[in-house]
Structures are given as C-alpha cells and as structure tokens.
Amino acid sequence: AQTVTQSQPEMSVQEAETVTLSCTYDTSESDYYLFWYKQPPSRQMILVIRQEAYKQQNATENRFSVNFQKAAKSFSLKISDSQLGDAAMYFCAYKGSGNNRKLIWGLGTSLAVNP
Amino acid sequence: GAGVSQSPSNKVTEKGKDVELRCDPISGHTALYWYRQSLGQGLEFLIYFQGNSAPDKSGLPSDRFSAERTGGSVSTLTIQRTQQEDSAVYLCASSPSKRGGTETQYFGPGTRLLVL
C-alpha cells in the first residue's frame, strides 16, 4: 500500500525568506501524481502545485516550486519570498494512475510566517 | 465559476442521532470524493463516485456510513446512530476525471461535525 510521510509537523519562516517542506512517499507504481495542498484556517483545501511522475522537470507555480526526486521518492515544496498569507497547513498527497483515484495524504506541516 | 459547495458548514448533534451532509460538486465534474479529517490525523478517504459506475466504498469505516449521488451531481453522506468518534471535518471534492489528465481534485469548505 502507498504511504505518504511528512516528517515536519511544524515549520516557521521569516517573511520574505525561503522555506522547504519535506515529503516522502512509498509506492511500487511507476506512474502516479503528487500534489501539495494548502489548508488555511478557513478549512478550504487549496491546490498549490502538482507533479506528474513521468515528467522529469520540476513543477513551478509562481513562488512555489517542487524538488521531485523519483528514485528517492521525495517530493519537497519550496516557498520563496514567503508572505503572511502563506501561513497554513500544507499537505502532501499521492494519487496512483490506475482505477483507484483516491488521494493518499501525509499528516501535514503547519507553517507559520513571522513578520 | 462556482466551486464545490458543502452544507451545513457546521453541525452539532447528539450521540445516536442520524446526520446528512450535502455536497454540490463543480458543474461538469464526473468524479466526486468524500474524505474525513479528524483532529491530529490526516485525511481519510471514505467513498468515490465516478459517473454511473458503482461507487468505491472501500473507505467507509462502518455500515453506519452511507452515501449516494443523485443524477450524477449532488451527493449526500449519511451517518446513522452517530458516535463521538465520528466528530471530524468531512470534506468533499470533485474532479473532471479526464482520461490521461492529472485529475486534480477540487475541494469544498467542509462540514465540521461535532457529536456530543
């Protein structure tokens, strides 16, 4: 069975600085998708960035980028120029490419942004 | 366009009562998912609907939980004889489920259920 591990329950960063959130996963599949979601106190789960495993190029969305290491089964999220609005829970999630469409989630990392 | 909506936003009930949680997915999305988010735990998959196919109920924790999706759109998650351990945030998501696509799931704001 696939698993997702986020080893950092809490992180903090100074405004305008850069922070990296870690995520590792375990799977025997070769084709799959990885996601980072952000959950602010409003509870709304918001997609931050996604990565297809077959793509070697790391995904980037504005200030958010990932470091996808397929062999190491690592999928870290880098937030550059951190803003106060980035404070939230961040969840890493895995989805296989077969008929099983469910997302498998890590336990999350709580990110605080200090002014 | 409108996102995924869920109602009620919050629900307080007494142990033993039945509750119904509603999810209205994004128009045109064929796939719909229910997840449960308990305090201190990650998100737990409950059930998945895809078009007219039989739902994947493999995540439902007990037979007190059931869900239906009428007309391929709105879904209702029903919890019978609620227990205190059912207290959690129930999240609904939908996706376009395009073949070959990333099938990103878009989430609603959730329903916070508190069983007293």
Side-chain angles (χ1 to χ4, degrees), chain A residues 51-59 66-70:
Chain A
Q51 174 83 42
E52 293 89 342
Y54 64 85
K55 291 185 177 179
Q56 293 185 341
Q57 186 174 4
N58 288 324
V66 298
N67 183 4
F68 174 48
Q69 301 290 328
K70 190 172 184 179

Side-chain angles (χ1 to χ4, degrees), chain A residues 48-49 59-66 78-81 83:
Chain A
V48 174
I49 200 166
T60 298
E61 289 287 343
N62 300 314
R63 298 183 295 108
F64 299 87
S65 62
V66 298
K78 185 172 80 171
I79 306 173
S80 304
D81 185 25
Q83 301 176 0

Side-chain angles (χ1 to χ4, degrees), chain A residues 37 39 43-44 50 52, chain B residues 37 102-105 107 110:
Chain A
Y37 280 90
Q39 188 179 40
R43 290 201 312 249
Q44 184 82 47
R50 65 187 179 213
E52 293 89 342
Chain B
Q37 186 176 24
T102 57
E103 302 180 27
T104 297
Q105 296 178 23
F107 284 80

Side-chain angles (χ1 to χ4, degrees), chain B residues 60-77:
Chain B
L60 294 178
S62 77
D63 58 8
R64 296 187 295 105
F65 288 73
S66 63
E68 63 177 19
R69 189 179 184 191
T70 55
S73 181
V74 172
S75 177
T76 302
L77 176 69

Side-chain angles (χ1 to χ4, degrees), chain B:
Chain B
V4 178
S5 61
Q6 292 186 245
S7 61
S9 178
N10 295 282
K11 176 72 176 178
V12 180
T13 190
E14 294 179 348
K15 177 182 175 181
K17 300 282 190 181
D18 297 352
V19 296
E20 286 189 351
L21 312 180
R22 176 188 168 104
C23 173
D24 205 336
I26 293 172
S27 178
H29 281 193
T30 59
L32 186 147
Y33 310 77
W34 283 98
Y35 294 88
R36 178 168 71 176
Q37 186 176 24
S38 303
L39 189 63
Q41 300 182 24
L43 281 82
E44 172 189 15
F45 166 76
L46 296 177
I47 189 169
Y48 158 59
F49 295 90
Q50 171 57 56
N52 295 322
S53 302
D56 176 357
K57 304 179 181 180
S58 61
L60 294 178
S62 77
D63 58 8
R64 296 187 295 105
F65 288 73
S66 63
E68 63 177 19
R69 189 179 184 191
T70 55
S73 181
V74 172
S75 177
T76 302
L77 176 69
T78 301
I79 309 174
Q80 296 179 311
R81 305 181 302 281
T82 52
Q83 303 294 313
Q84 289 181 331
E85 60 263 29
D86 299 335
S87 296
V89 174
Y90 290 82
L91 292 166
C92 175
S94 70
S95 76
S97 195
K98 296 176 183 176
R99 284 192 179 276
T102 57
E103 302 180 27
T104 297
Q105 296 178 23
Y106 299 89
F107 284 80
T111 293
R112 183 181 299 278
L113 175 66
L114 177 61
V115 182
L116 301 177

Side-chain angles (χ1 to χ4, degrees), chain A residues 3 46 84 109:
Chain A
T3 58
I46 302 165
L84 296 178
T109 296

